[in-house]
Amino acid sequence: MPCSWRGGPGAPPLPLALLLLAAWAAASGQLHYSVPEEAKHGTFVGRVAQDLGLELAELVPRLFRVASRSRGDLLEVNLQNGILFVNSRIDREELCGRSAECGIHLEVIVDRPLQVFHVEVEVKDVNDNPPVFPGREQRVFIPESRLPGSRFRIEGAADADIGANAFLTYTLSPNDYFSLDVQANDELSKSLSLELRKSLDREEKSELHLLLTAIDGGKPELKGSVQLLITVLDANDNAPLFDQAVYRVHLLETTANGTLVTTLNASDADEGVNGEITYSFGSGVSLNTQEKFKIDSNSGEIRLIGRLDYEKTKSYEISVKAVDKGSPSMSNHCKVLVKVLDVNDNVPELEITSLSLPVREDSPVGTVIALISVSDRDSGANGQVTCTLTPHVPFKLVSTFKNYYSLVLDSALDRESVSAYELVVTARDGGSPPLWASASVSVEVADVNDNAPAFAQPEYTVFVKENNPPGCHIFTLSARDADAQENARVSYSLVERRVGERAVSSYVSVHAESGKVYALQPLDREELELLQFQVSARDAGFPPLGSNVTLQVFVLDENDNAPRLLLPPGAGGAGGALSELVPRSVGAGHVVAKVRAVDADAGYNAWLSYELQAAAGGARGAFRVALYTGEVSTTRALDEADAPRQRLLVLVKDHGEPALAATATVLLSLVESGQALKASSRASAGAAGAEAALLDVNVYLIVAICAVSSLLVLTLLLYTALRCSAPPAGGACGPAKPTLVCPSAAGSWSSSQQRRQRVCSGEGPPKADLMAFSPSLPPSLNLAERLEHPQANSDPSNNVSPIFELWLF
C-alpha cells in the first residue's frame, strides 16, 4: 500500500513521521484465532491486546476499537482486560455455507498514533446437523422377474456440516433379499443402490419394508433414517395347479344325461390376467370320450352328455388341460378317471347317532364317541355291508352287533397337537362291483388345563435411570399358554417380598392383563442399585397353573447430587467458611488451605474439580486453587500492599450433565511470621487431645491390619492347596461387585457406591500415601474424614469390620 507524507500546519517533522510510519509497518501483523461455532456468549477467543503488545491502560485513551466488514456483532473486545470474546451466536453454516474454510476478519484500530491490526478468527465446525434424507420414505417398484445382482438406485442423505462431521456411512436393516451398495464419487458424495441378493417371489412376499440409516462422522455421531417401501410387481411365473393330480369318479351305467361328473379345481398364484384359467380336453382325448362328456371352459365342470354302457366301456381316462391367460401362457394337466359301475340298485346307507362331542383331551382309551348303523336294501352279497374308518388313529371302529358299530378312542389325545379330526366312515356292500357310501364325522377335542404359562426366559434384566417419573412403564412381560380359551387366559401378579424395610410392591406394580411393569415411585440409585423381584403368571383354568419369572431392575446413575463440602470441626461460623493464617513471608507455591468435598453420585457424576471464583481484599492474582486437589496456594510472594484479610470463593463442580456445583468460602488472614508461630503453638496445644484420640485409633488399625494380613496369607495357602488337589469346578457364586473409590488427577476422592470398595488412581503423578479402607465405611467418607472424626470408628451403627483393604499409591 503506497504511503506519502505532506507537511502542513501542526504536522510533525519529516523524520518523526517516517519513524511513526516504520513503527506502524512493523506492528501491522495479523493474528489468528479459532473458535467453535455455537459457542456461548462470553467464550474466550484470544488476548488481543496482549498478543499485539499493547498495554491495558492505553486501550481507552488510545481509542482502542474493533471493526468488521460484516457481522461485526459476533465478536467483541473487553477494554478492561483486552480479551476478545464471543458476543453473539455464531452459526458456521449460516456464515459460510459448505465452504471448507470459514473465518471472521476483524480490524483492530488504535489512535495516537494510528495503528491498524488485522485479526483473523477461524470458525470451526461442530457436529450440530444430522443427516437429512429428501423425504420420509422412498418407494421402489421391482418386477419379481429381476435376476440376483440387479441394482436399484436410491437417494442418499445430505449433511450441512463439513469435513468428518459430514462424512456419511449408511446401514440397511437386516433382510434376506437386498444389500446396500455404496459407491464413493468423491470424499463426501456417495451414490447408493440396492443390490438384489435373492430372487423375489411376489406370491411369497409382495412388499418389503426396509430402514436406511445414515450416520455422520462427528462426535457424538448424529443419525438420520428413511423408510424404503419396496413393491414387488407380478410376472407370469406360476402355472395353474390342480388340487388333485387324478380325479376318480364312479358312475352307474344308468346315470342320466347332464349329470355332473366332477368339478375340476385349478388355482394360479399369479394375479390379474396371469391368474385367469380356462379348461379344455387334452389333445389325446379320443372322439368317443368327447361324445360322452363335455367340460365347461370357465368353471371346470365335467358333465355327462351320452349314454354309458358298462359292457362296452368300463372306465374313461380323460386328460384335462388348464391354461392361464398370461403372456406367454402357462399350462398344467390332470387326469379324470371315470369308472362305470354295473347296475346295483341300492347303495349302502349310513346313519351316525349318539354323538358325544366335543371329546376331552384327557378322555381314557376306549371312550365311545358315536354309534353308527349301516343298511343296504339289496340282498345276498350286494346287501352284505362292511364299514371302514379313515384315518385309523387315534380312533377305531368296533363291531358291537350285526350292522352296528361304535366309534371309540384308540389312543391318547393331545389338543395342543391336533385340535380336531375329520373322520370318514365308508360302508361298502359285497356286490360286484360293490357299491359304497361314506359319511364324515368332525370330532373336536376339548381343552383341558394341562399346560402352565411359560415365559421365554427364566430371568429378565432391565436398566432404568434413576429419578424416573412415578408410574412410568419400564418393561412388559409376556407368558404363553398352549391351552385354549380360559385355560390360556394369563394373568400376572407380583410375588411380594421385602426390600430392606419396605415391600417390593411399594416400588413396582404389574398390570394383571397386559404384564406391563410400572415403577410406582422415582428410584434413587444412591438408595437402591438393584431391585430384584419375581412376577407370577397364572392361567384361568381349574385348577389354575402358573410359573414365575425373575426381573432384575438395575438403577442407572444420574447427576442428581451436588458436591458436599467437608469442613473441619468448628468451621460453622461465617457461613461455614474455612479460616487459615498465612505468614506474609511465604513464597510462591505455598499451600495455605485445602478445600475438601465429596459427591454421592458415581463415575463422572462424582468426579470433582475446583475453580477459584473471586478474590477480595486487594491481593489480586496472589492465590490459585489446584483443579483436582482443592489445594489453595500462593502464585507469588506476598507483600505489604496485600490486604490483611483475603476472602476467596472456590467453586466445586462435578462432571455430570448438567454439572452441579457448590461454593466454599476461604478466609485468609495475612500475619507476620511471629504471630503465625504463636497461633500455630496454640493450635498445636489444642490439637494434642485430638492426636491422643487418633493414636488409639491408629493402634487399633495396626492390630487389625496385622490380623488381616495373617488371615489373608493363611487363606491364600489353603486356597492354593485346594486348587492343586481338586479338579477345577465352576463356582455357584462370585464376589460381590466392588465399590469403586477413585482419586482425581491430583488426589481428591469420590465414591461410586458399589457393593465393595476398592481404590484406583486417576491421572496425575502417583502419591506415596498408605491408605486403609474399611468395607463398611459410608461411600461419602474417605480416610481423612474417618481420622478427623474418630467417634465414627466407635459408633456401633457404622458396623466397622476388622477387615481392611490396603493400597499403596
Side-chain angles (χ1 to χ4, degrees):
M1 169 177 169
C3 296
S4 62
W5 178 87
R6 293 183 180 179
L14 180 59
L16 178 58
L18 292 176
L19 184 60
L20 291 176
L21 182 61
W24 174 83
S28 61
Q30 183 171 351
L31 296 180
H32 290 271
Y33 298 111
S34 64
V35 64
E37 65 169 327
E38 306 294 344
K40 296 181 180 178
H41 173 75
T43 300
F44 172 84
V45 178
R47 301 182 182 276
V48 174
Q50 179 180 341
D51 294 341
L52 292 176
L54 301 175
E55 294 294 335
L56 297 180
E58 299 177 356
L59 299 182
V60 175
R62 294 188 62 184
L63 300 180
F64 181 92
R65 59 191 182 275
V66 175
S68 176
R69 295 177 181 175
S70 63
R71 304 305 299 271
D73 60 336
L74 297 179
L75 301 173
E76 190 57 71
V77 175
N78 188 335
L79 297 181
Q80 303 298 322
N81 52 22
I83 292 178
L84 181 66
F85 63 92
V86 175
N87 186 45
S88 61
R89 174 178 174 269
I90 301 175
D91 187 352
R92 194 204 64 80
E93 288 75 31
E94 178 183 346
L95 191 65
C96 304
R98 294 192 55 83
S99 175
E101 296 181 357
C102 184
I104 302 174
H105 181 75
L106 303 176
E107 290 184 353
V108 178
I109 305 172
V110 293
D111 294 332
R112 303 171 188 174
L114 176 63
Q115 288 180 290
V116 179
F117 304 93
H118 297 276
V119 178
E120 194 73 26
V121 180
E122 178 188 357
V123 180
K124 292 187 176 180
D125 183 50
V126 297
N127 192 27
D128 57 344
N129 291 281
V132 178
F133 285 92
R136 298 179 59 183
E137 65 180 25
Q138 295 185 27
R139 300 191 67 90
V140 182
F141 298 90
I142 302 176
E144 64 175 333
S145 58
R146 293 297 293 269
L147 299 177
S150 301
R151 286 179 169 81
F152 307 94
R153 184 72 178 270
I154 56 177
E155 295 186 52
D159 196 309
D161 295 317
I162 62 171
N165 294 333
F167 182 78
L168 302 182
T169 57
Y170 295 88
T171 59
L172 187 66
S173 58
N175 67 95
D176 296 333
Y177 294 93
F178 294 95
S179 62
L180 188 63
D181 182 32
V182 181
Q183 300 290 334
N185 300 330
D186 50 39
E187 184 177 354
L188 294 179
S189 176
K190 297 179 179 179
S191 60
L192 306 179
S193 299
L194 292 177
E195 182 177 354
L196 185 63
R197 297 185 302 178
K198 177 182 176 182
S199 297
L200 296 171
D201 188 351
R202 189 204 62 81
E203 290 72 35
E204 178 182 344
K205 202 172 188 67
S206 61
E207 194 172 65
L208 294 97
H209 296 263
L210 306 178
L211 185 66
L212 178 63
T213 303
I215 307 172
D216 63 23
K219 291 185 179 180
E221 62 186 20
L222 300 178
K223 300 180 179 180
S225 60
V226 65
Q227 192 79 19
L228 301 182
L229 303 180
I230 300 175
T231 302
V232 183
L233 303 179
D234 184 49
N236 191 28
D237 56 347
N238 291 278
L241 183 65
F242 287 95
D243 58 355
Q244 296 177 228
V246 177
Y247 292 82
R248 301 180 184 275
V249 182
H250 296 81
L251 295 177
L252 293 174
E253 60 178 335
T254 56
T255 301
N257 291 343
T259 301
L260 176 65
V261 177
T262 186
T263 300
L264 305 178
N265 184 22
S267 60
D268 195 310
D270 294 320
E271 63 179 2
V273 295
N274 295 332
E276 296 181 8
I277 300 173
T278 58
Y279 301 89
S280 61
F281 287 131
S283 58
V285 176
S286 64
L287 182 60
N288 179 46
T289 303
Q290 295 184 28
E291 292 175 350
K292 303 292 183 182
F293 303 93
K294 74 172 182 178
I295 186 170
D296 189 305
S297 61
N298 293 321
S299 65
E301 292 182 349
I302 298 179
R303 294 185 177 273
L304 184 65
I305 59 173
R307 182 177 178 277
L308 299 177
D309 189 349
Y310 175 80
E311 286 70 31
K312 289 184 178 180
T313 306
K314 295 181 173 58
S315 64
Y316 296 88
E317 182 175 317
I318 307 172
S319 176
V320 178
K321 180 172 66 173
V323 183
D324 62 27
K325 297 182 180 180
S327 179
S329 62
M330 302 188 74
S331 62
N332 206 344
H333 295 77
C334 76
K335 287 185 178 181
V336 179
L337 300 181
V338 179
K339 184 177 182 180
V340 181
L341 301 177
D342 195 13
V343 173
N344 191 4
D345 297 335
N346 298 285
V347 296
E349 296 180 357
L350 280 168
E351 184 179 1
I352 302 175
T353 60
S354 302
L355 281 173
S356 180
L357 298 176
V359 182
R360 288 172 55 92
E361 63 177 321
D362 60 347
S363 298
V365 175
T367 299
V368 177
I369 308 301
L371 298 178
I372 303 173
S373 61
V374 296
S375 62
D376 194 313
R377 287 177 292 174
D378 293 328
S379 61
N382 292 334
Q384 296 177 357
V385 180
T386 58
C387 285
T388 58
L389 178 67
T390 55
H392 299 291
V393 288
F395 304 95
K396 67 179 180 179
L397 288 176
V398 177
S399 178
T400 58
F401 194 68
K402 182 180 179 181
N403 293 338
Y404 287 92
Y405 295 87
S406 295
L407 178 63
V408 300
L409 185 62
D410 190 38
S411 60
L413 298 174
D414 184 6
R415 190 206 64 83
E416 287 71 39
S417 298
V418 181
S419 60
Y421 294 88
E422 290 293 331
L423 306 179
V424 178
V425 179
T426 303
R428 191 179 300 271
D429 62 22
S432 181
L435 300 179
W436 54 272
S438 63
S440 296
V441 180
S442 296
V443 179
E444 181 181 354
V445 182
D447 184 52
V448 174
N449 192 26
D450 56 350
N451 291 278
F455 290 94
Q457 56 192 67
E459 185 176 271
Y460 294 90
T461 300
V462 183
F463 296 92
V464 180
K465 283 189 176 182
E466 64 174 330
N467 303 321
N468 55 283
C472 74
H473 172 232
I474 61 175
F475 195 67
T476 300
L477 293 169
S478 178
R480 295 187 178 276
D481 196 309
D483 295 320
Q485 297 178 353
E486 291 297 311
N487 295 332
R489 186 164 59 87
V490 180
S491 61
Y492 304 88
S493 62
L494 191 65
V495 179
E496 190 63 84
R497 74 174 187 89
R498 306 293 295 179
V499 179
E501 297 181 355
R502 300 173 60 181
V504 71
S505 58
S506 65
Y507 290 98
V508 294
S509 67
V510 180
H511 192 274
E513 296 180 0
S514 66
K516 291 185 176 181
V517 182
Y518 299 91
L520 299 180
Q521 61 182 13
L523 300 177
D524 187 357
R525 192 204 64 84
E526 288 72 37
E527 173 188 338
L528 184 66
E529 275 189 71
L530 170 62
L531 179 60
Q532 181 171 307
F533 56 91
Q534 285 190 327
V535 175
S536 174
R538 282 188 179 275
D539 58 29
F542 183 81
L545 300 178
S547 62
N548 293 346
V549 68
T550 300
L551 193 64
Q552 297 188 76
V553 179
F554 286 90
V555 184
L556 302 180
D557 184 55
E558 284 191 340
N559 192 27
D560 57 347
N561 290 278
R564 183 171 62 88
L565 298 173
L566 301 178
L567 298 176
L578 178 64
S579 300
E580 297 289 346
L581 297 179
V582 181
R584 288 184 178 273
S585 59
V586 298
H590 181 77
V591 177
V592 299
K594 183 172 183 178
V595 180
R596 294 180 175 88
V598 294
D599 196 307
D601 292 317
Y604 275 93
N605 295 332
W607 183 20
L608 303 182
S609 61
Y610 302 80
E611 179 183 341
L612 190 61
Q613 285 293 97
R620 185 174 183 180
F623 301 96
R624 64 184 176 189
V625 63
L627 180 61
Y628 296 113
T629 64
E631 292 180 344
V632 180
S633 59
T634 58
T635 60
R636 58 175 174 81
L638 302 176
D639 50 34
E640 294 299 330
D642 295 324
R645 290 185 62 82
Q646 303 287 333
R647 185 173 181 271
L648 306 180
L649 294 179
V650 178
L651 181 67
V652 185
K653 297 191 302 183
D654 57 29
H655 285 68
E657 287 292 341
L660 301 179
T663 303
T665 303
V666 180
L667 301 177
L668 302 179
S669 299
L670 306 186
V671 298
E672 301 301 329
S673 300
Q675 295 177 353
L677 289 176
K678 292 179 182 180
S680 177
S681 299
R682 288 194 298 268
S684 299
E691 291 180 0
L694 288 177
L695 180 59
D696 294 337
V697 176
N698 291 337
V699 171
Y700 288 118
L701 288 176
I702 293 172
V703 172
I705 290 169
C706 294
V708 170
S709 300
S710 302
L711 183 60
L712 178 60
V713 171
L714 180 58
T715 303
L716 290 176
L717 292 176
L718 291 175
Y719 178 73
T720 305
L722 290 175
R723 286 295 300 266
C724 294
S725 61
C733 61
K737 193 174 182 181
T739 296
L740 183 62
V741 183
C742 296
S744 65
S748 68
W749 293 86
S750 59
S751 168
S752 68
Q753 296 194 2
Q754 297 179 8
R755 284 192 279 267
R756 193 193 70 183
Q757 296 179 346
R758 67 185 180 93
V759 178
C760 64
S761 62
E763 299 178 355
K767 287 185 163 244
D769 295 334
L770 179 64
M771 307 297 289
F773 288 88
S774 167
S776 62
L777 288 179
S780 60
L781 292 178
N782 57 21
L783 182 60
E785 295 178 85
R786 197 68 172 177
L787 296 179
E788 291 177 1
H789 302 80
Q791 66 275 12
N793 294 322
S794 59
D795 188 355
S797 63
N798 290 331
N799 192 21
V800 178
S801 172
I803 300 177
F804 294 84
E805 292 182 344
L806 304 180
W807 300 82
L808 183 62
F809 57 94

